[in-house]
Amino acid sequence: MKRALLAPESELNVPETLPEPWPGNPVTIDGTQTFVRRTPSRGEAAEPALYVHGLGGSANNWIDLAHFMADRWDGEAIDLPGFGLSDPGRRYTIAALANRVIRYLEWSDRGPVHLVGNSLGGSVSVRVAGLRPDLVRTLTLVSPAMPFLDPRRSAQGRFAPFVLLPYAHRLAARHMSTMSVDDMFAMVVKACFADPEGLPEQRRIDARKEIELRYSVPHYPAAYVGCLRGLVTSFLRAYLPGAGSLWRIAKRITAPTLVIGGSHDQLVDTRVPAQVAKVIPDSRLLMLDDAGHVAQIERPQIVARAILGMLDDQRSPAITPK
């Protein structure tokens, strides 16, 4: 594990106004539609990248970071099954979600990509990179939801026993029906951001639209509970013998990897990013004192600089840490 290097701020193309959500369209793979948003590259030599969102999120979680990376990357962001504008999935295990990402990468035939995952998308990306190294150039993990067994370390910990119930999704739907969009929005923002008041107004509007979408999609409660159940199950399995452990899979990753964590993360144990960086052979770590669970939204510039630092480090080791 190495300390992450930050590229100079001058490498960033900072927009005068915040970018709008990137356009996209559904693609049909194995009879199921997956919605993909695309961020056009600004460089002729841009390399392919794929962004994978976290639990309850969507491809729109990458609007700003994808803009900052567009000089180097031809970016795509997918909605995982059951989220955003994608069809629901048959299963919501980490293995099933990773298989959807793998199938999309095979279908798109873009060659190995720079893979970026946040939270649930981080654990999914670990599995993809560990099992299919031929599909991954570099790996960036933002607050990856890797296994930890202390429920007190997560605001969602108290729901862990609940999601194992057979009809938990029905109870979740009933609970959602008792909450207003405003209440749900306030709860999500409080849990995900270190400084909810510092979130730009446009991003608050975008986040609220995401909440409204959840209320309009009948399959959302089942997708959310199913993915949370998949995470809980993967956490328990990680400490048992067998090749399915996410920690064992992480040890197999060969791609250069950047791990980013926020010291105010309320959803993933703040000790996890360092543990992940120690396990993955070629890794570098960046902990942000002023970020929560979604640093790519809260601090997109410094996340972009860290990614650029990793990319530049692959070309030349002469960057000076800051």
Side-chain angles (χ1 to χ4, degrees), residues 91-312:
R91 302 181 66 198
Y92 293 103
T93 63
I94 301 301
L97 297 176
N99 185 62
R100 176 61 63 88
V101 173
I102 290 171
R103 289 292 297 120
Y104 176 71
L105 290 174
E106 292 174 337
W107 176 88
S108 63
D109 195 26
R110 302 173 75 215
V113 301
H114 297 282
L115 187 61
V116 186
N118 168 232
S119 189
L120 167 69
S123 57
V124 169
S125 297
V126 163
R127 186 174 176 90
V128 173
L131 299 182
R132 290 295 303 273
D134 58 305
L135 297 176
V136 181
R137 296 174 186 240
T138 66
L139 177 65
T140 298
L141 305 170
V142 182
S143 293
M146 290 291 283
F148 61 94
L149 294 179
D150 188 348
R152 297 169 299 177
R153 294 277 177 168
S154 174
Q156 292 181 327
R158 63 185 183 275
F159 299 117
F162 158 79
V163 301
L164 298 176
L165 297 175
Y167 299 103
H169 64 285
R170 296 181 183 176
L171 297 175
R174 186 179 305 169
H175 179 64
M176 279 186 65
S177 69
T178 66
M179 296 184 67
S180 68
V181 172
D182 289 337
D183 289 341
M184 179 69 76
F185 170 75
M187 182 181 72
V188 170
V189 171
K190 181 180 179 181
C192 291
F193 296 91
D195 179 19
E197 298 303 319
L199 193 62
E201 182 60 25
Q202 183 57 52
R203 292 297 169 252
R204 296 179 69 86
I205 293 173
D206 294 336
R208 196 179 189 284
K209 288 180 179 178
E210 291 288 325
I211 300 296
E212 292 173 350
L213 177 62
R214 298 181 187 184
Y215 278 79
S216 68
V217 178
H219 61 251
Y220 177 80
Y224 188 92
V225 170
C227 286
L228 189 53
R229 181 185 291 135
L231 274 175
V232 171
T233 303
S234 74
F235 280 23
L236 297 175
R237 186 177 183 184
Y239 298 98
L240 298 175
S245 165
L246 278 174
W247 287 117
R248 293 185 181 89
I249 292 173
K251 291 180 180 179
R252 298 169 56 181
I253 294 174
T254 56
T257 300
L258 169 66
V259 185
I260 299 175
S263 63
H264 294 278
D265 195 334
Q266 299 180 58
L267 298 176
V268 168
D269 189 333
T270 54
R271 299 172 295 184
V272 163
Q275 294 171 355
V276 175
K278 288 178 182 177
V279 167
I280 297 175
D282 183 8
S283 68
R284 57 277 298 146
L285 174 67
L286 176 65
M287 291 298 299
L288 300 174
D289 292 332
D290 53 357
H293 188 61
V294 285
Q296 80 276 12
I297 301 176
E298 201 167 15
R299 298 288 180 267
Q301 292 194 32
I302 196 166
V303 172
R305 290 174 61 196
I307 295 174
L308 291 171
M310 174 175 64
L311 299 179
D312 292 342

Side-chain angles (χ1 to χ4, degrees), residues 43-121:
E44 293 183 1
E47 297 175 334
L50 184 69
Y51 301 93
V52 186
H53 66 80
L55 180 63
S58 76
N60 278 335
N61 292 165
W62 304 101
I63 297 171
D64 296 309
L65 182 61
H67 167 84
F68 287 126
M69 296 304 304
D71 287 326
R72 301 281 288 273
W73 285 355
D74 181 19
E76 294 184 342
I78 65 170
D79 287 338
L80 289 172
F83 297 97
L85 299 176
S86 284
D87 284 348
R90 295 182 179 88
R91 302 181 66 198
Y92 293 103
T93 63
I94 301 301
L97 297 176
N99 185 62
R100 176 61 63 88
V101 173
I102 290 171
R103 289 292 297 120
Y104 176 71
L105 290 174
E106 292 174 337
W107 176 88
S108 63
D109 195 26
R110 302 173 75 215
V113 301
H114 297 282
L115 187 61
V116 186
N118 168 232
S119 189
L120 167 69

